[in-house]
Amino acid sequence: MTLRDVLPPLLALAALGALAFLGLSGSALNFLITTLIIALAGLGWNVLGGFGGQYSFGHAAFFGTGAYATAVLQLRFGWNAWAGLAAGIGLGTATGLLIGTLSFRAGLRGSYFALVTLAFAEVFRILANAADLTGGAAGLLLTLQPGFGTMQFVDRRLFCLLVLGFVGAALLASRWIERSRFGAQLIAVRENEEAARALGVDALRVKLGAIALSAAITAAAGALYVQHFLYLDAGVAYGTWISVEALLAPIVGGIGTAFGPLVGALALQGLGEATKHLSGGVPGLDLVVFGICLVAVIAFAPQGLIGLLRRRAAAAGA
């Protein structure tokens, strides 16, 4: 990659990092951190669903595995939070490879693959809800113990910068996919798998690489989530909410683009918070707005907000 490829992600991160230090209130900073974690999960989904065309309805399987691994290793085995984070990412990656191997070797694609990922996430949720190791239905509560080793910073802006670092790494990975041979092969498989194979592309290897990277990024989001909120249960870790959020962000922002998930997450979460504020906190109204927004994007901007901005810029320059 060239400096021209790397510069936009760095500028975006610098702007968001500066925003965190502009005197945001505690609630506003919490909103920014949560939005960035959702954007990170969306960036993970986008690697597999956007660039690879393998739509998943069960990215909660990776999110929850990363979150639970991080929490369990700290609570049950006394691990350092940083080591738990690394282990959570590794276990999430292994989960992705497992699901990918079983699915792609069986030739599953399209709605069949989407339903298989959803089934895995639901099975994991049921198991986590029943197992003593994961705290069962009561969940896990991490001990409040500020310090570097526990990844609990007194100044929450430092944690925001940590999350930004992961978002930046995921953005750079997305830019690399856009420019690399692997990315070209992945897009070729997305457009026409049989034609890609005829040209010598190892479709199975490419798709396994995509799901491994996708799972790693999403597992990192789960690990950061539990470090931020210090609580986790099966409904949070493996719930459909994160699968939906991870899917909506790139679709609204621009599926198959490096910045789409980040733009989509900021737009959706900002719209949701504004709706809650203006409506006085009416339950579920933000979800209605999400649905309307999704329908509007699919109908009038199928390439998302990024695509809409690009068309406007091209029209203005013509």
Side-chain angles (χ1 to χ4, degrees):
M1 290 192 300
T2 65
L3 179 62
R4 184 177 180 181
D5 298 325
V6 175
L7 192 58
L10 293 180
L11 291 175
L13 294 176
L16 290 171
L19 182 63
F21 284 84
L22 290 180
L24 293 180
S25 64
S27 59
L29 185 60
N30 180 69
F31 166 77
L32 178 60
I33 293 173
T34 304
T35 300
L36 289 173
I37 290 173
I38 291 173
L40 183 60
L43 285 161
W45 186 93
N46 194 48
V47 170
L48 183 64
F51 293 114
Q54 311 298 319
Y55 281 26
S56 163
F57 290 167
H59 256 54
F62 313 134
F63 181 91
T65 299
Y68 263 121
T70 302
V72 168
L73 288 172
Q74 291 180 70
L75 284 175
R76 309 297 193 202
F77 301 98
W79 280 36
N80 178 284
W82 299 92
L85 171 65
I89 295 173
L91 192 55
T93 304
T95 303
L97 285 171
L98 172 64
I99 295 175
T101 300
L102 294 175
S103 302
F104 297 144
R105 282 193 179 277
L108 299 181
R109 65 179 75 175
S111 58
Y112 295 103
F113 174 72
L115 291 174
V116 163
T117 58
L118 178 62
F120 268 101
E122 185 62 14
V123 168
F124 289 168
R125 185 191 67 79
I126 293 171
L127 292 175
N129 199 52
D132 292 334
L133 184 66
T134 57
L140 297 173
L141 182 65
L142 293 182
T143 304
L144 180 61
Q145 188 179 355
F148 180 81
T150 57
M151 210 185 295
Q152 299 176 24
F153 306 107
V154 175
D155 188 345
R156 299 301 293 169
R157 293 176 297 182
L158 297 179
F159 188 80
C160 183
L161 292 180
L162 175 64
V163 177
L164 268 174
F166 276 91
V167 171
L171 280 173
L172 290 176
S174 297
R175 294 290 282 182
W176 170 76
I177 289 175
E178 288 182 330
R179 301 292 189 269
S180 69
R181 181 179 180 181
F182 171 77
Q185 292 176 336
L186 186 60
I187 293 172
V189 171
R190 178 191 70 190
E191 296 301 324
N192 192 320
E193 187 170 330
E194 286 72 22
R197 282 179 174 155
L199 292 173
V201 175
D202 188 341
L204 177 61
R205 180 186 62 82
V206 169
K207 289 193 288 186
L208 286 177
I211 197 171
L213 180 57
S214 177
I217 295 172
T218 310
L224 292 170
Y225 181 94
V226 74
Q227 286 300 138
H228 177 54
F229 289 100
L230 302 180
Y231 174 76
L232 190 68
D233 65 14
V236 170
Y238 293 117
T240 55
W241 74 275
I242 187 60
S243 294
V244 172
E245 295 275 13
L247 184 148
L248 282 180
I251 289 178
V252 171
I255 194 167
T257 63
F259 284 94
L262 179 59
V263 171
L266 290 171
L268 284 173
Q269 298 304 313
L271 185 61
E273 285 298 311
T275 301
K276 291 177 184 177
H277 178 73
L278 294 175
S279 67
V282 176
L285 187 58
D286 57 322
L287 300 178
V288 174
V289 173
F290 278 11
I292 295 173
C293 183
L294 179 61
V295 171
V297 166
I298 292 174
F300 303 107
Q303 294 180 326
L305 298 177
I306 295 289
L308 184 63
L309 291 174
R310 286 175 178 172
R311 288 204 304 272
R312 291 289 178 88

